[in-house]
């Protein structure tokens, strides 16, 4: 059975976040249109979700479309919108069966109403999922998320629901799109680029970063396993002293 074959011999990170990068290069290397890279990228998403369930990861956050990706040609933007639409429809029954709870994070205000309806429907129909929380970051930007959080806190203060001088870090975390997940333990970026590109700016304050040279459409359970294993060897200090040196 796959479950036992894939299981890790150690405690997995609770929350893995992935910047899925390299779809365009994957297609260009093959002389294919970029959309083919994005389509293959969806296959990699499916493999990653299954592997995350097998590994016992509780939260998986995938960066699918950034607030800056609107700068791309309209045809590519349309393809990416269409792929999310297809994913939340075609994969719904399998995600339910796998016990995956889907949430889409980011600003929905500039997405088309039919796409928002499909996303909301998928969230509602998978709300019972217990195996994995899958957060799809779509029209997501870390600064945009903070902008929206600041506005909601400012509105609450203006209405007298909160005291400005009492706002603490937990209030800010609760006002973010990721309020239902702990901070990512591990952040993976594929394709060899080593930057954050406006992903989870607040939440990755103490995440461990792993950069892999693989292009996203080629990402497999083995790549996820390698990243998780590298994470297991990291020494997280959070600004304090490491366990061995302490005392
Ligand atoms: C990642 O692949 C998917 C999105 C950003 C939507 P890219 O489309 O960025 O691929 P490269 O970086 O051009 O290879
Ligand atoms: C980051 O990739 C966004 C997503 C993976 C959705 P980009 O390809 O857009 O990032 P940059 O432009 O190389 O920083
Ligand atoms: Mg890219």
């Amino acid at each position: 059975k796959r479950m036992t074959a894939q299981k890790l011999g150690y405690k997995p990170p609770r929350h893995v976040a992935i910047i899925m990068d390299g779809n365009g290069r994957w297609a260009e290397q093959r002389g294919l249109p970029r959309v083919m890279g994005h389509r293959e990228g969806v296959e990699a998403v499916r493999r990653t979700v299954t592997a995350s369930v097998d590994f016992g990861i509780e939260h998986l956050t995938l960066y699918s479309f950034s607030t800056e990706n609107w700068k791309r040609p309209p045809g590519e933007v349309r393809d990416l919108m269409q792929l999310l639409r297809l994913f939340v429809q075609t994969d719904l029954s399998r995600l339910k069966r796998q016990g995956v709870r889907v949430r889409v994070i980011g600003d929905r205000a500039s997405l088309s109403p039919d796409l928002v309806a499909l996303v909301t429907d998928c969230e509602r129909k998978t709300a019972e999922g217990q195996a994995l929380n899958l957060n799809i970051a779509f029209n997501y930007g870390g600064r945009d998320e903070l902008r929206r959080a600041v506005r909601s806190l400012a509105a609450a203060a203006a209405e007298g629901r909160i005291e400005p001088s009492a706002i603490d870090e937990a209030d800010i975390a609760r006002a973010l799109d990721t309020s239902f997940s702990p901070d990512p333990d591990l952040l993976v970026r594929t394709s060899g680029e080593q930057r954050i590109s406006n992903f989870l700016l607040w939440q990755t304050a103490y995440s461990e970063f792993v950069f892999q040279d693989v292009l996203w459409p080629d990402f497999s359970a083995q790549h996820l396993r390698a990243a998780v294993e590298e994470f297991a060897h990291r020494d997280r200090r959070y600004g304090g002293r490491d366990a061995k040196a302490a005392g």
Side-chain angles (χ1 to χ4, degrees), residues 4-153:
T4 40
Q6 300 249 318
K7 242 188 152 37
L8 302 172
Y10 47 87
K11 207 158 104 13
R14 281 190 71 198
H15 184 176
V16 177
I18 306 182
I19 303 176
M20 311 185 288
D21 198 12
N23 294 350
R25 275 163 283 174
W26 185 93
E28 279 154 22
Q29 281 176 5
R30 287 162 178 75
L32 298 169
R34 290 177 64 88
V35 65
M36 297 304 286
H38 296 314
R39 280 189 205 155
E40 277 303 306
V42 178
E43 288 300 324
V45 167
R46 294 182 175 119
R47 290 193 291 274
T48 305
V49 167
T50 301
S52 297
V53 172
D54 291 346
F55 292 170
I57 292 165
E58 291 172 53
H59 303 265
L60 175 68
T61 302
L62 300 177
Y63 205 5
S64 301
F65 189 87
S66 76
T67 46
E68 287 70 42
N69 286 148
W70 293 102
K71 293 177 191 165
R72 296 187 180 198
E76 184 168 354
V77 170
R78 253 195 317 273
D79 289 339
L80 292 164
M81 298 288 152
Q82 185 57 17
L83 280 174
L84 177 65
R85 196 174 277 123
L86 277 175
F87 181 77
V88 294
Q89 292 179 100
T90 357
D91 287 62
L92 177 61
S93 61
R94 193 181 34 81
L95 291 166
K96 272 185 74 161
R97 203 162 55 241
Q98 287 183 305
V100 177
R101 176 170 192 171
V102 179
R103 291 179 176 98
V104 174
I105 63 169
D107 189 3
R108 294 182 187 194
S110 35
L111 299 180
S112 83
D114 77 294
L115 179 54
V116 174
L118 285 172
V119 157
T120 311
D121 182 62
C122 180
E123 289 176 330
R124 196 170 45 77
K125 288 180 174 156
T126 60
E128 305 293 303
Q130 298 278 328
L132 175 73
N133 290 289
L134 171 62
N135 308 321
I136 301 174
F138 200 92
N139 195 24
Y140 175 88
R143 287 186 172 181
D144 183 69
E145 177 189 42
L146 284 161
R147 172 188 67 81
R148 289 182 284 107
V150 167
R151 284 190 183 184
S152 74
L153 289 169

